[in-house]
Amino acid sequence: MGVDPLHLRQVLSRYPTGVTIVGTRHLPSGVCGLTVNAFTSVSLEPPMVLVCVDRSSNTHGCIEAAGEFSVSVLALGQSDLAVRFAQKRDDKFDGVGHRLSADGLPLLDGASAWVEARVEAAFDGGDHTVFLAHVLRAEQADEPPLVFHRGSYSRVDGAAGSAEPARER
């Protein structure tokens, strides 16, 4: 007895997620990347994040080979990049504004935030690999983030809610 994948996708679409581009070096030279919404903070001490990457993606092998990746948290107005990087193509970065970090990891121009991380462990996650990584560097901008909810892109309205995150007691 299982859950139909299309039904599960519809149910999970009720949970809003951020939209990121995960990128890395592509040897011998170049970069590769893909759209990822399965990205989260794991720990502040030590600083760790995780990303879930589809094994069939072109970028999966690049992350395994490089052992490091970058995460560009897309800003409002960058949904075209989310669509572009979700496609299977080799020219995803062509004409896309980005810079390379000191480690050669791609960081997209105009993003809301950036993280660079070194893979510490990889776990089987069905048709995905869960990459657990130690954060090496992190930056932020003043741009509001892009959000994916119920099959479409939207914005976060920061006016509602508390300025401080809830803490478990």
Side-chain angles (χ1 to χ4, degrees):
M1 176 182 196
V3 176
D4 175 68
L6 293 177
H7 176 69
L8 181 59
R9 182 180 190 137
Q10 183 179 31
V11 169
L12 295 179
S13 78
R14 300 292 182 155
Y15 182 68
T17 63
V19 185
T20 69
I21 302 300
V22 172
T24 192
R25 294 182 299 276
H26 181 22
L27 303 174
S29 64
V31 290
C32 58
L34 77 162
T35 302
V36 171
N37 68 352
F39 162 73
T40 193
S41 168
V42 174
S43 170
L44 295 177
E45 293 183 28
M48 300 191 85
V49 296
L50 69 76
V51 296
C52 300
V53 178
D54 188 327
R55 284 201 185 98
S56 69
S57 79
N58 299 344
T59 305
H60 185 276
C62 296
I63 293 172
E64 285 183 319
E68 292 182 320
F69 59 83
S70 62
V71 179
S72 295
V73 177
L74 294 185
L76 188 63
Q78 292 186 312
S79 60
D80 58 326
L81 293 178
V83 172
R84 178 186 183 104
F85 280 82
Q87 299 170 0
K88 286 194 186 241
R89 52 193 278 188
D90 295 328
D91 63 346
K92 294 178 188 179
F93 282 92
D94 291 357
V96 173
H98 67 283
R99 69 191 191 310
L100 297 180
S101 72
D103 291 334
L105 302 175
L107 305 172
L108 295 181
D109 294 347
S112 183
W114 304 267
V115 173
E116 297 172 67
R118 180 183 59 246
V119 175
E120 296 291 328
F123 303 97
D124 178 28
D127 57 1
H128 283 60
T129 296
V130 179
F131 290 104
L132 179 65
H134 181 86
V135 175
L136 304 172
R137 283 172 289 286
E139 298 176 49
Q140 64 183 6
D142 289 332
E143 302 298 324
L146 181 65
V147 174
F148 192 71
H149 180 243
R150 296 184 70 184
S152 64
Y153 297 103
S154 59
R155 63 177 288 145
V156 172
D157 184 354
S162 166
E164 289 294 316
R167 300 243 186 239
E168 186 177 339
R169 297 187 178 176

